[in-house]
Structures are given as C-alpha cells and as structure tokens.
Amino acid sequence: MTSALPFDDFRNLLANLPAADTAAETRVRTLFAKADKPGNSLGRIEDIAAWLAAWSGRAPPAVTRPLMAVFAGNHGVTRHGISPRPVAATANAVELCAAGGAAINQICIAYDLGLKVFDLALHIPTADITEEAALDERGCAATMAFGMEAIAGGTDLLCLGDLGVGNSTVAATLFAALFGGGGADWAGPGSGADTAMQARKADVVDAALAFHGGHLGDPLEALRRVGGREFAAIAGAILAARMQKIPVLLDGLAATAAAAVLHGVNPAALDHCLLASLSPEPAHAHAAQRLGLRPLLDLGISHGEGAGAALAAGLVKAAALTSSGMAAAVRG
C-alpha cells in the first residue's frame, strides 16, 4: 500500500468504481426480444445473461475461465465454545480440498470450474473479538490485498466461498455492526449449534459489540475489528473483480458479510455480484434482503466451501450459452 493509512487505497477504489456496460446489456436484451420465443419466457436466464454482458462488456456474454476461490481462516473467538466443530476442522477441510475429496472438488469438475483454496494463516487465529480487534489495520489491508490477487491468473466469472470454524458468529457480529441489532437478531445455528450454544453465540456477539463500541461506524474499521482474514480476503477479491470488470457469484454467510462491508462504504459496490444461494441460517436471508440480493438457488445448502456458488456457476454458464446460441440464430 502506498498511502499514509492502509485503508486509504481501498476507500479510493470504492469511491471510483467502474460502471456497468449498459450498451452490452441492452444488446443482449434486444437479442432475446428478437428471438423466436414468447417475450421474457426464459425468466431469470435472460436477466443473468444481461448481467453478465453488463459486467464483462461482452455481448453476447461468454464464460470460458470460471474460477471458484475459497478462503479459509480461523478465529480466536472460538475459545468461547461457539461451534460444535474443533478449530482443526478448518485445516482438515482445506486438506480435503487439496486431496480432491471435498464436495467443492466434485462440483467444480461437474461444471468445469477452476478451483483455488487459500489458507489464510490458519495456524494463527485472529484475536478474540470480545477482548481486542481481530486484526490491526495494516494486517487487514494486507489480507484484502492478498484477496485481490485471487484473480491474478485471469478469470471471467469469480465464484467466492469460505471455510472457517466459528465464522458464522463473526459474520453475525459484522452484520450487527453494519445493520444494527444484537446477538439475538443475527446469531443462528451455524454448523449445528444447539440452543445453549446459540445463546453463547448471541452473548459473544453482544460482548464484541460492547467492547468495540463507537469504533464500528466505519465499515472497514468494523471489518478489521470484528471480522477475520477470510472476510477481508473476500472483500478484496470482490473489489478486484469490480475493477477488472469480472462478474461475481457470492455464496455463504461469511462471503455475504464481507460483501456487506463494501456495500456499507458504497451501496453500488455489489452491482457486479449475484447471490448464488441462501443458506438455512436465518441471518442470511435477512442480510440478503438488506443488501438487495436475490438468490439464484435455494437448495438448503449450509456446507460451506462455496458449494452454492459452484452450483450456480453452472446456471450462469448455461445462461451465457443460451444467449450466444440464440443470438447466432437471430443473426442467421
């Protein structure tokens, strides 16, 4: 980072976001209108194709290098007994992905998606957010910058997911900081918390909000105080994709919370994003509504790993092919 304060570069980017290519979007919608079919008969498939065109600048659109990026982080706040899973489960899940045995591996094979899984210093959990900031500003900004590098190899559709024991509690805290409310409003079952554990999660959220007090009004400050590494990296990846005109599919509670941080800085920051699916976590539907995100799928998936985004990528690829194939027929 070159500015005096680590977050300044991100604030500048968020203040100067590239706009959609409305001409490309119009061309796609016009081609669908000219096709030999009833008007709007393909429903959201037409909308997805138009969205792809708007944010890639290609009409008709194409998806030839889709990428699934999964960011994994660990959290010091897990010491409060907020997850039924041990912290080691995060690293185990990363290793399973590396070995090709995770659910996300199979979905990526099915839809011909590239896959990158990022281990964000799993051996060094972030600080306990009930007692101190998860990250300092420099560390948070560096993690955002690292997330931006997810697109370095080139992609034309970025799918984002997460892994992290305890990160549903962290997401709940971020949502409360950004949207208001307390632990009882945002904490849910996560990866299988019983009633007593959910109550602990809510208490942890409230304790973190009380500790950080008036410092949570700025979304980026909230990210570094009550977020985590996977949240920061996903926020960076979303922002990098916007600057490079790459459409994004979001999946899961953590990715949605990371997106909410950017939305808090600039409400237009998520215009290039679609929400892949809703998890059963009640807070997810609530947050999606606040962000104006309507899911493409509703399969009851709470697995993590970006499984919903990878599944939705198949739908997006189909929309692109439908648009280009029908456009060829119209021109013929």
Side-chain angles (χ1 to χ4, degrees):
M1 311 310 268
T2 58
S3 58
L5 295 174
F7 282 150
D8 284 354
D9 291 320
F10 298 106
R11 297 189 200 282
N12 291 335
L13 289 176
L14 285 161
N16 297 281
L17 296 171
D21 188 331
T22 55
E25 178 182 3
T26 298
R27 285 198 296 275
V28 167
R29 293 196 181 278
T30 300
L31 284 166
F32 275 125
K34 290 180 177 178
D36 185 13
K37 67 174 186 63
N40 300 314
S41 63
L42 286 168
R44 291 192 74 186
I45 292 295
E46 298 183 30
D47 294 334
I48 293 168
W51 166 80
L52 273 174
W55 291 107
S56 67
R58 301 169 69 180
V63 178
T64 59
R65 298 186 67 190
L67 173 66
M68 181 73 239
V70 182
F71 294 93
N74 275 328
H75 304 271
V77 76
T78 56
R79 72 183 186 86
H80 295 284
I82 55 170
S83 175
R85 306 176 73 212
V87 173
T90 307
N92 292 342
V94 169
E95 291 172 7
L96 186 61
C97 290
I104 191 62
N105 297 96
Q106 321 321 318
I107 301 170
C108 287
I109 291 169
Y111 291 118
D112 195 21
L113 313 177
L115 174 62
K116 294 181 181 178
V117 181
F118 299 92
D119 173 340
L120 300 172
L122 293 180
H123 61 295
I124 309 174
T126 53
D128 179 354
I129 60 173
T130 67
E131 297 180 350
E132 55 186 308
L135 298 162
D136 61 24
E137 184 170 338
R138 185 174 300 279
C140 186
T143 307
M144 291 178 71
F146 179 82
M148 297 182 84
E149 293 300 313
I151 63 170
T155 179
D156 50 19
L157 177 67
L158 180 63
C159 308
L160 293 172
D162 67 272
L163 285 167
V165 171
N167 71 10
S168 66
T169 301
V170 174
T173 311
L174 259 180
F175 286 137
L178 296 167
F179 297 137
D185 301 301
W186 294 101
S191 57
D194 60 17
T195 301
M197 186 173 283
Q198 287 187 57
R200 284 199 298 276
K201 291 175 68 170
D203 289 344
V204 163
V205 172
D206 290 336
L209 294 174
F211 178 81
H212 296 283
H215 298 288
L216 301 177
D218 170 44
L220 290 176
E221 184 70 2
L223 173 64
R224 74 106 179 164
R225 283 179 173 268
V226 300
R229 292 190 183 93
E230 70 269 47
F231 295 82
I234 290 170
I238 294 169
L239 183 55
R242 177 60 166 268
M243 304 312 294
Q244 296 296 319
K245 300 296 291 286
I246 299 167
V248 171
L249 289 176
L250 302 171
D251 183 58
L253 200 66
T256 304
V261 170
L262 302 181
H263 182 272
V265 179
N266 183 344
L270 305 183
D271 289 353
H272 66 305
C273 301
L274 292 181
L275 180 60
S277 68
L278 273 182
S279 74
E281 190 83 355
H284 202 190
H286 188 188
Q289 184 178 34
R290 294 290 296 264
L291 295 170
L293 295 172
R294 179 184 170 199
L296 295 177
L297 305 172
D298 188 3
L299 301 175
I301 294 174
S302 59
H303 185 70
E305 301 177 0
L311 288 165
L315 185 61
V316 173
K317 291 179 72 174
L321 288 168
T322 301
S323 175
S324 58
M326 297 186 80
V330 168
R331 289 168 181 164

